[in-house]
Amino acid sequence: MLGKNAKLFFGVSVIILIVAIVLASWGFPKIVQKQIHKSLQIQNSSVMFEKWRELPIPLKFKVYLFNVTNAEDVNNGAKPILNEIGPYVYKEYRVKRILGYGENDTIRYMLKKTFYFDQEASGGLNENDEVTVINYSYLAALLTVLDIMPAAAVIVNNALESFFPNLTDPFMKVKVKDLLFDGIFLNCVGENSALSLVCGKIRLEKPSVMRPAEDDKGFYFSMFSHLNLTESGPYDMKRGIENINELGHIVAYNNKTTMSQWGDPYCGQINGSDSSIFPPIEGNPPAKISTFEPEICRSFFASLVGPRDIFNLSAYYYEIDEMLFASKSANPNNKCFCKRNWSANHDGCLLMGLLNINPCKNAPAIVSLPHFYLASEEILEYFDGGISPDREKHRSFVYLEATTGVVIKGVQRLQFNIELRNVPAIPELENVRTGLFPLLWIEEGAEISKNLQDELHHANKLLSYVEAVRWVILGLSIILCIASAIYVSRTGGLNPWPNRNSVNFILRPGNTIDINKIR
C-alpha cells in the first residue's frame, strides 16, 4: 500500500514538473508579453492611449539664433563672424484629435501643437531681444527668381525693396518674437507692378511661413507661427492590435501614402512613427528606428548604438548618423533628394550633411544638423568664427526602454540655412561672398517625468517578480520530483518484482536447501 502511494506521489510530481517547465519556458513569458502588448496598443482601454493622445508633459522647444556680429564687413566681402544666442525656450504641448478608425488596424487623427515662452528656462534671454540675422525670406524670394528667371531678378529686387521694410542689405535687425512666432510685416501696398506680382504669387501659393495681414495690405513672415495652435494632418497610424511590431507606424499623411514632392518612391516613403510611440523591443532591438517629419516631407532614421542605463532604467540608445544627410557618393540612396535643375552645371546634389527642402517648401531652404555637424568641412571654411560642430551639443538621439519601447528621453536638432549668393546686378548682394548661411537651429525634446519613471520602475519590478516566480515554481517542481523519486526508491516502489538471484530469495522460509545433500 505504501509503495502504491509512493508511485502515485512520484507520478504526480512528474506531471507537476512538466507543467512547470511549460510555464517557465513558454506560459509565463507569453502571458507577460500579452499584457505588455495590451497596455501599449492604441485603443481606449489601454494604459498608453491617453498618454499618446495627449502628452503628459510638454516638450522643450529650444531655439538658438545666429547673430551676425560683422554684417557691414560681410557686405564688403569679409567672412561672416557669428555669435550664437540661445536657447530661447518654449513649452510645446501636443494633443491629438481622433477622427476615427480605418481599415488595416489604423487610427486617423489631427495633431495640434501649442507653444508658450518659458521665461524661467530661458534665463536672461527675452523674446523682445533684438538680433541681426540673415534675411531669410528676402533671399528665399530672390533666389527663387534667380533660379527660374534670372533676367527678371533686378525688376523683382526693386519690388522686394518695397516689400521688405528698410531693406539695404541681406541682413535684418529683428525682435526674436517677431522672427519666430509673431511675424515681420511685409508690405504689399505700392504702385510697383512687380510688387503686385510678388504679392499675388504669395496669395496664390499660400506658403506656411506667410500669414496674411488682417487688412490685406501685406503679410507677416515668421518661422514657426504656422505650427502654433494649428492642426496638422490627418495622420493615419497603425494601432498595433493586429501586429504589435507595426505599432505607431505612419502609413499616410494628409491623405497621401508617399511624399510626391521628391518625385521618387524611395525618397517619398513615409517610414516610422510621429516620434511619440514605438513598438515594444522585448530584448530584440531593431538596427534602425524611423520617425516621419512632415515639416521637411521625409522620414528620419536613427541607428542603434547599444544598450544604456538612464534614470536607473535599462534602455537602448539610438543616434542619427552621418548617412542621414550623406551626399550621394557616400549614400547612393540619397540621390533622389537632389533638386533637379539646380543650375545648368550642377546635378542638384549638395555637399555632405545637407538637405535641400525646396521641393517640400517651394523655397530654397537647406537644412542640416546644428553647426553643420557631420557635414563637409568645406562648409566651415566660409566662416571666420561662431561655427563649431560638437557631437555632445548637436547630435540627435533617443533612449527607448528595453522592454516596452517607451521613449525615456529624446532630442531632435535641426538647423535652417539659406544660400547667400554674390549677384553683381543686385546692389544688396554685389560684394558678398557666396556661401551657405545659417539662420537658427532648433532642439525639440523631452524626458519622462519622475512619476512616469516611477511607473516604469514599478512595472519592471513586477516583471522581475514574475520572472522570479516562474523560476521558483520550476525549482520547487524539480525538488518535489527528486524527493518523490527518493521516497519511491526507499519504499521499494521502484522494484515491484523481486530479484530471483537475490540472497533474500534464496534464504526465504520454505525454500531451504540442504547443501550437504548430494545426489
Side-chain angles (χ1 to χ4, degrees):
M1 185 66 183
L2 190 61
K4 289 184 179 179
N5 290 337
K7 285 189 287 183
L8 179 62
F9 177 38
F10 178 71
V12 171
S13 67
V14 170
I15 294 172
I16 291 173
L17 177 60
I18 293 171
V19 172
I21 292 172
V22 172
L23 285 175
S25 61
W26 182 83
F28 272 102
K30 201 71 177 176
I31 293 170
V32 170
Q33 184 186 67
K34 186 175 181 180
Q35 289 303 310
I36 291 174
H37 292 181
K38 189 176 180 181
S39 67
L40 294 175
Q41 292 164 349
I42 301 303
Q43 53 185 335
N44 292 341
S45 60
S46 75
V47 174
M48 181 59 68
F49 182 78
E50 276 303 314
K51 293 182 176 67
W52 168 82
R53 191 190 66 80
E54 182 173 353
L55 290 183
I57 54 172
L59 277 69
K60 288 185 178 180
F61 185 81
K62 300 179 180 180
V63 184
Y64 298 79
L65 299 165
F66 289 102
N67 183 61
V68 185
T69 63
N70 65 333
E72 187 174 341
D73 295 333
V74 174
N75 289 328
N76 293 319
K79 290 186 175 183
I81 299 175
L82 306 179
N83 175 34
E84 180 184 280
I85 301 177
Y88 293 88
V89 184
Y90 294 80
K91 291 180 179 179
E92 178 188 337
Y93 294 87
R94 291 188 177 189
V95 179
K96 299 177 178 75
R97 180 168 61 90
I98 310 302
L99 300 178
Y101 299 90
E103 298 178 351
N104 300 319
D105 192 28
T106 58
I107 185 171
R108 170 169 279 208
Y109 64 89
M110 301 292 289
L111 175 61
K112 181 180 178 181
K113 300 179 181 179
T114 307
F115 296 84
Y116 296 99
F117 183 65
D118 189 339
Q119 182 62 71
E120 182 179 355
S122 301
L125 300 176
N126 190 282
E127 281 190 298
N128 289 311
D129 294 341
E130 286 193 333
V131 291
T132 299
V133 295
I134 193 74
N135 196 328
Y136 196 82
S137 53
Y138 164 67
L139 287 175
L142 191 59
L143 291 175
T144 299
V145 175
L146 285 168
D147 291 344
I148 296 174
M149 196 183 302
V154 174
I155 297 173
V156 172
N157 189 67
N158 291 334
L160 294 177
E161 289 175 350
S162 300
F163 188 56
F164 292 91
N166 306 315
L167 181 66
T168 57
D169 60 32
F171 303 102
M172 62 177 173
K173 192 170 185 178
V174 61
K175 288 185 177 181
V176 171
K177 66 178 182 180
D178 292 338
L179 175 63
L180 301 185
F181 287 100
D182 287 2
I184 303 162
F185 180 72
L186 305 176
N187 173 57
C188 280
V189 177
E191 300 298 326
N192 192 316
S193 58
L195 178 63
S196 298
L197 289 175
V198 169
C199 292
K201 187 173 186 296
I202 293 173
R203 290 190 182 96
L204 180 65
E205 296 184 353
K206 299 178 180 178
S208 59
V209 293
M210 294 289 190
R211 184 179 77 251
E214 293 181 1
D215 57 8
D216 203 33
K217 293 183 178 180
F219 297 89
Y220 286 95
F221 166 82
S222 64
M223 291 295 294
F224 306 121
S225 65
H226 65 286
L227 300 178
N228 192 25
L229 299 172
T230 304
E231 289 186 321
S232 63
Y235 296 78
D236 290 282
M237 189 194 83
K238 290 284 188 177
R239 301 166 65 198
I241 296 174
E242 295 180 1
N243 183 354
I244 193 65
N245 294 318
E246 294 183 342
L247 174 67
H249 287 193
I250 304 296
V251 296
Y253 173 75
N254 200 16
N255 301 314
K256 297 179 180 178
T257 56
T258 60
M259 294 288 99
S260 58
Q261 293 89 335
W262 302 108
D264 183 274
Y266 176 82
C267 286
Q269 291 181 85
I270 297 177
N271 293 323
S273 74
D274 62 1
S275 76
S276 65
I277 191 170
F278 293 92
I281 294 176
E282 298 171 329
N284 186 28
K288 292 182 179 180
I289 57 172
S290 300
T291 60
F292 173 62
E293 302 299 334
E295 279 302 298
I296 61 172
C297 304
R298 67 161 292 185
S299 293
F300 277 16
F301 67 84
S303 301
L304 176 65
V305 177
R308 295 284 190 276
D309 285 334
I310 180 171
F311 307 137
N312 292 321
L313 292 166
S314 296
Y316 287 101
Y317 174 72
Y318 290 82
E319 185 174 318
I320 284 181
D321 61 38
E322 60 184 2
M323 288 299 103
L324 179 66
F325 292 152
S327 60
K328 74 171 184 179
S329 59
N331 183 2
N333 289 329
N334 280 352
K335 65 183 180 182
C336 47
F337 288 118
C338 302
K339 179 196 170 191
R340 281 113 176 124
N341 303 320
W342 175 271
S343 67
N345 58 359
H346 199 290
D347 66 358
C349 295
L350 302 180
L351 294 172
M352 189 80 172
L354 306 176
L355 173 68
N356 188 338
I357 59 172
N358 191 320
C360 175
K361 292 298 184 183
N362 199 26
I366 296 172
V367 298
S368 67
L369 297 180
H371 286 250
F372 302 109
Y373 171 60
L374 298 180
S376 171
E377 292 187 3
E378 179 182 335
I379 301 170
L380 308 182
E381 296 173 359
Y382 181 68
F383 304 95
D384 212 15
I387 296 294
S388 181
D390 185 317
R391 177 180 175 274
E392 289 303 312
K393 296 178 181 178
H394 304 139
R395 62 191 168 127
S396 296
F397 62 87
V398 65
Y399 290 87
L400 300 183
E401 201 274 327
T403 301
T404 61
V406 169
V407 178
I408 298 176
K409 181 177 181 178
V411 171
Q412 182 169 290
R413 296 165 172 143
L414 202 63
Q415 180 171 297
F416 293 87
N417 316 278
I418 196 159
E419 182 187 8
L420 178 58
R421 187 184 299 180
N422 178 272
V423 185
I426 304 297
E428 290 84 359
L429 304 176
E430 59 182 345
N431 294 318
V432 301
R433 291 172 177 249
T434 297
L436 192 59
F437 215 104
L439 170 64
L440 56 83
W441 65 273
I442 61 172
E443 175 184 306
E444 196 173 33
E447 59 184 47
I448 58 174
S449 65
K450 186 63 169 60
N451 288 339
L452 291 176
Q453 290 177 35
D454 291 341
E455 281 188 29
L456 283 175
H457 281 299
H458 180 67
N460 286 334
K461 187 176 290 186
L462 289 177
L463 288 176
S464 67
Y465 289 158
V466 171
E467 187 75 5
V469 165
R470 71 166 174 153
W471 295 118
V472 166
I473 291 175
L474 180 61
L476 290 175
S477 301
I478 292 172
I479 293 172
L480 181 64
C481 193
I482 293 172
S484 65
I486 294 172
Y487 179 56
V488 170
S489 176
R490 287 183 176 179
T491 58
L494 292 179
N495 296 292
W497 296 281
N499 189 337
R500 297 293 179 180
N501 295 319
S502 68
V503 175
N504 288 338
F505 177 75
I506 294 172
L507 299 180
R508 186 177 300 167
N511 290 295
T512 56
I513 299 176
D514 187 352
I515 61 175
N516 293 317
K517 185 176 181 181
I518 299 177
R519 298 265 178 202

